[in-house]
């Protein structure tokens, strides 16, 4: 697939490398592409990246994501799956920029013709693209209102190393706030284990018919 990644930071680059290794055509989008050479990945302007993509990935700082997408324009985004991995945090990481909602919800509200799927925001960039390097499988969450968009996202997650058994659909786009609000627990766990390279796993009791 043609995947356009909005952003050129660690997350965007990690995902781009991961999907390119799986055979996808990736393009990073930047407001100043001429300043982002030497990344080992193709970089273009935001409009060109959106026009190129069958799937767009928002990997920009959550506090500016909606305005950045508005600069591209709703018509250019209509009908294109947008995978949102961003989290809006204050500069000192002490507060969410969307404390009573989520970035995923705000993007979906602003662009109703663009199916939005929230995922991968409960881990760092290393774990996003190498889940198999952890001591055991973890869980990656999907939030979104469009079933086909979530199926496509699931296939792209599989290409990054996430088997279907590790993917958990937790419901509509309103559940994205749970994923984003996990950021504070993530930071606490990182301090406790002394690393950002970890993940969480949902475990349940066995059902009665398996006892």
């Amino acid at each position: 697939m043609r995947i356009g990644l909005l952003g050129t930071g660690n997350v965007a680059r990690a995902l781009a490398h991961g999907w390119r290794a799986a055979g996808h055509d990736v393009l990073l989008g930047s407001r100043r592409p001429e300043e982002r050479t030497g990344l080992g990945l193709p970089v273009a302007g935001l409009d060109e990246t959106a026009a190129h993509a069958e799937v767009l990935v928002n990997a920009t700082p959550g506090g500016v994501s909606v305005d950045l997408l508005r600069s591209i324009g709703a018509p250019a985004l209509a009908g294109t799956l947008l995978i949102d991995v961003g989290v809006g945090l204050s500069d000192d990481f002490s507060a969410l920029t969307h404390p009573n909602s989520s970035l995923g919800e705000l993007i979906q509200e602003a662009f109703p013709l663009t199916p939005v799927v929230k995922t991968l925001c409960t881990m760092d960039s290393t774990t996003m693209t190498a889940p198999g390097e952890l001591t055991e499988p973890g869980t990656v969450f999907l939030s979104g209102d469009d079933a086909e968009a979530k199926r496509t996202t699931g296939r792209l997650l599989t290409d990054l190393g996430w088997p279907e058994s590790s993917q958990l659909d937790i419901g509509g786009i309103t559940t994205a706030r749970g994923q984003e609000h996990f950021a504070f627990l993530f930071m606490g766990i990182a301090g406790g284990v002394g690393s950002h390279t970890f993940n969480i796993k949902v475990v349940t009791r066995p059902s009665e018919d398996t006892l």
Side-chain angles (χ1 to χ4, degrees):
M1 299 188 75
R2 298 188 309 276
I3 303 175
L5 299 104
L6 303 176
T8 57
N10 291 338
V11 170
R13 296 198 307 271
L15 291 173
H17 280 298
W19 277 318
R20 186 166 70 170
H24 297 287
D25 176 2
V26 301
L27 181 64
L28 297 179
S30 171
R31 284 175 289 192
R32 294 179 292 276
E34 69 281 356
E35 299 177 8
R36 304 299 289 160
T37 58
L39 299 180
L41 292 161
V43 184
L46 300 177
D47 292 344
E48 182 180 345
T49 301
H52 167 86
E54 296 173 273
V55 176
L56 271 177
V57 179
N58 175 48
T60 63
V64 302
S65 294
V66 174
D67 286 342
L68 182 144
L69 290 167
R70 285 194 173 116
S71 74
I72 298 172
L77 301 177
T80 301
L81 164 59
L82 191 148
I83 298 174
D84 175 35
V85 301
V87 176
L89 288 167
S90 61
D91 291 341
D92 62 359
F93 300 103
S94 66
L96 290 165
T97 55
H98 313 107
N100 299 312
S101 183
S102 68
L103 175 60
E105 290 173 89
L106 295 179
I107 294 174
Q108 188 62 90
E109 180 181 355
F111 303 94
L113 300 181
T114 300
V116 177
V117 178
K118 188 82 185 188
T119 192
L120 289 172
C121 71
T122 55
M123 63 196 74
D124 79 341
S125 59
T126 303
T127 304
M128 289 178 187
T129 56
E133 294 183 4
L134 301 180
T135 55
E136 61 180 276
T139 303
V140 61
F141 305 97
L142 296 95
S143 302
D145 296 332
D146 187 292
E148 182 57 33
K150 283 195 278 192
R151 282 191 288 269
T152 300
T153 302
R155 290 193 293 270
L156 291 174
L157 290 173
T158 300
D159 289 341
L160 294 176
W162 295 94
E164 289 186 19
S165 58
S166 292
Q167 301 176 26
L168 183 59
D169 182 345
I170 59 173
I173 195 62
T174 57
T175 65
R177 67 184 66 182
Q179 294 196 54
E180 295 182 27
H181 289 207
F182 177 77
F184 295 114
L185 182 54
F186 176 90
M187 288 185 280
I189 295 172
V193 302
S195 172
H196 289 89
T197 305
F198 64 89
N199 194 24
I200 60 170
K201 180 178 182 178
V202 174
V203 296
T204 62
R205 294 179 65 181
S207 60
E208 292 184 2
D209 58 3
T210 62
L211 295 177

